[in-house]
Amino acid sequence: MANQVENRILIILLVGVFMGSLDIGIVGPALPSIGIDFGVNDRLLSWVFTIYILFFMIGTPLMAKLSDIYGRRRIYLVNILLFLAGSVLTVVSVSFEMVLMGRAIQGVGAGGIFPVANAFVGDIFPPEKRGGALGILSSVWGLSGVLGPVLGGLLLSYGWKWLFIINIPICLVVFLGSLYILPISNKNPDVKFDWPGIIVLGLLVSFLAYGINQIDTSHLISSFLSFSVWPFIVLCLILIPILLKVEMNSMDPLIQIDLLRSKEVKLVSTYMIGTGLIQAATVFIPSLVIVALAFGSSDASLMLIPVVLTMAMGAPIIGRLLDSFGSRNIMFVGGIIMIVGLFIISIFSESFYPFIIGSILVGIGMSTAIGSPPRYIMLVESPPKERASGQALINLITSGGQLIGGALIGAVIGSYAGKLIGYEYAFIFMGSVALIMTILTLGLKSKDEQQKTSY
C-alpha cells in the first residue's frame, strides 16, 4: 500500500517537474514568430528565454524556504497556480512587455516546483528510495528541458501561443491531483525567512543577465566599456561576496554555502555552470537551422530530435556504466564527445548530415553532463541531511549557467543581426566551454577514492 501511495506522489511530482522544465526551451522555435508579431530585434527577443531563467533562479530558493515555513503542499500548489497565471498572461499578451511579464511569473512558479518536489521526496520516501526518486526527477528535468523545443516546433504550426495554451489543462490536472494525492504538511514557524539573501540574489542575477545581454561581440572592448555593460557586471561581481557573507551568517540560509567547502563540490559546481551554458545553446538550434538550412519554423525544431533521442537512450546506459567506471571517467569521455559535436555543428552548419552527426554527439555528451554522474557526485559529497540541498544547489548553479548562456548567445547573435556567422561563433564558444568542462573532470576523485569518502 505504501508503495502505491509513493508511486502516485512521484507521478504527480514528475508531471509538475516535466511541465516546469519543458517551458525553459519550448520558446526556442517560437522566437522568430514572436519577434515578427511584436516587432522586436534578436537581442530583445532573447529575453523571452532569459527572463524565465532569471525568475526561475529567484523562485528556486524563495519557494524552497517558503515550503519549509508554510508546508510543502501549500507552496507546491502556489507554484502551480503561478505557472498557470503566467501561461494565461502570455497567451492573452497584446505587447512584448506582457509576454515578458508572463514568462517572469512562469519562471517564479517553475523555480519552486523542482526544489519543493525534491523536499517532498525527502519527507515521504524512506532513505533507501530517496536516491532513486531524486534521480528520476533529475532525469525528467534534464530531458524535458531539451525536449521543449521539439514540442514547441510541433505546436508552432497552430500559432506560437499554443506553446502556452497547452500548459493550462496540464496545470489544472496537476493542481487537482496535488490536492487529492499530496499529503498535508504543518507550518513550521521556527524557520526564519532569509530576506537579505533573496534580495541580494535577485539583484545579482538581474544585473548579470542585463549586463551580458548588452554585450556587442563585434565591438567587444568598446562594448564592455559602455555604461550599458560594465556597471552591471561590476555590481554583479560586488554582490557575489556579499551574497556569500549573508548566507554564511544566516541562521536559515537560502543556499547551502557550506557544501562548497568540498573541492569536489567546487569542481562539479563549476562544471555545471558550463552544462547550463551548453543547455541554453540547444534552445537556439532551431533558429540556427532556419538561418543555415532554410527550414521552416516547425520543421527546424525537429532537428533537435537527434539530441533528445540520444539523451533519452544515453541516460539509462550512463547510469549503468556509472558503478563500473566512475563519474570522472564517464564525464571526461562525455566531454570529449560533446566538444567534437559542438564544433561540427559550428563548422558544418550548412550541411544536413554533418549537422545530424554533431547533434547526436552533443546528445551523448549532454547525457553525461545533465544526467546522473554529477548528481551522484553531489550525493556522495553531501551529508545525509543536506542531500536535497545539494541537489538544489546543482539546479541553482545550472540555472545560472543557462541564464548566462541565454543572455550571452542572444548577445552574440544580436551583434551579427541574426546572421549565420553569429550562430557559428556562439557554438564555437560553447565548444570551448565544453573543453574547459572536460579539463575540470581531471581533478575529480577516481571511483575508488569516491567510494572511500562517501557519506
Side-chain angles (χ1 to χ4, degrees), residues 134-168:
L134 286 173
I136 293 172
L137 287 175
S138 300
S139 297
V140 169
W141 180 263
L143 184 60
S144 57
V146 181
L147 184 62
V150 177
L151 181 59
L154 296 174
L155 292 172
L156 192 58
S157 58
Y158 301 100
W160 66 265
K161 290 189 176 182
W162 274 95
L163 278 63
F164 305 99
I165 292 174
I166 193 175
N167 291 332
I168 297 173

Side-chain angles (χ1 to χ4, degrees), residues 113-376:
I113 288 172
F114 194 56
V116 176
N118 278 340
F120 258 121
V121 170
D123 294 343
I124 296 167
F125 285 72
E128 66 273 12
K129 294 183 178 179
R130 288 174 191 165
L134 286 173
I136 293 172
L137 287 175
S138 300
S139 297
V140 169
W141 180 263
L143 184 60
S144 57
V146 181
L147 184 62
V150 177
L151 181 59
L154 296 174
L155 292 172
L156 192 58
S157 58
Y158 301 100
W160 66 265
K161 290 189 176 182
W162 274 95
L163 278 63
F164 305 99
I165 292 174
I166 193 175
N167 291 332
I168 297 173
I170 298 176
C171 284
L172 293 175
V173 169
V174 174
F175 184 84
L176 294 174
S178 299
L179 277 176
Y180 177 71
I181 295 172
L182 297 182
I184 299 174
S185 49
N186 298 323
K187 293 183 180 180
N188 186 1
D190 295 331
V191 178
K192 304 301 180 185
F193 191 74
D194 182 14
W195 282 111
I198 193 64
I199 292 171
V200 175
L201 176 65
L203 290 172
L204 191 156
V205 296
S206 298
F207 291 146
L208 176 64
Y210 184 82
I212 291 176
N213 187 261
Q214 296 305 303
I215 294 173
D216 184 349
T217 54
S218 61
H219 302 89
L220 196 58
I221 302 300
S222 60
S223 175
F224 264 113
L225 296 176
S226 70
F227 282 101
S228 60
V229 176
W230 76 261
F232 297 95
I233 301 298
V234 169
L235 286 170
C236 172
L237 294 174
I238 291 173
L239 287 173
I240 290 174
I242 294 175
L243 178 63
L244 294 175
K245 185 72 173 178
V246 167
E247 295 304 275
M248 289 175 66
N249 293 333
S250 175
M251 293 294 293
D252 293 297
L254 284 171
I255 306 169
Q256 293 291 342
I257 300 296
D258 58 314
L259 290 174
L260 292 171
R261 292 192 178 99
S262 162
K263 174 192 172 186
E264 199 86 343
V265 172
K266 289 176 185 175
L267 286 171
V268 169
S269 298
T270 307
Y271 178 93
M272 294 309 287
I273 292 174
T275 299
L277 283 165
I278 295 170
Q279 194 173 5
T282 62
V283 175
F284 292 86
I285 285 180
S287 298
L288 166 60
V289 170
I290 291 172
V291 176
L293 298 174
F295 278 32
S297 297
S298 298
D299 292 337
S301 66
L302 299 178
M303 291 292 282
L304 269 174
I305 288 178
V307 177
V308 174
L309 287 180
T310 307
M311 286 182 62
M313 293 185 292
I317 295 173
I318 294 300
R320 287 196 293 269
L321 294 175
L322 194 57
D323 292 332
S324 300
F325 296 97
S327 300
R328 183 178 69 182
N329 293 335
I330 289 176
M331 290 166 69
F332 177 79
V333 174
I336 296 294
I337 294 171
M338 188 157 54
I339 293 168
V340 175
L342 287 166
F343 278 110
I344 287 176
I345 289 176
S346 63
I347 296 170
F348 300 102
S349 58
E350 295 181 276
S351 301
F352 179 81
Y353 291 108
F355 198 105
I356 295 294
I357 293 170
S359 298
I360 291 172
L361 295 177
V362 169
I364 294 172
M366 290 293 282
S367 65
T368 66
I370 295 176
S372 51
R375 297 185 183 279
Y376 180 80

Side-chain angles (χ1 to χ4, degrees), residues 358-407:
S359 298
I360 291 172
L361 295 177
V362 169
I364 294 172
M366 290 293 282
S367 65
T368 66
I370 295 176
S372 51
R375 297 185 183 279
Y376 180 80
I377 290 173
M378 187 62 82
L379 280 175
V380 168
E381 292 295 318
S382 302
K385 66 177 182 178
E386 294 183 356
R387 280 174 180 161
S389 298
Q391 298 301 308
L393 180 62
I394 274 190
N395 293 330
L396 188 64
I397 290 171
T398 306
S399 298
Q402 290 176 323
L403 177 67
I404 297 170

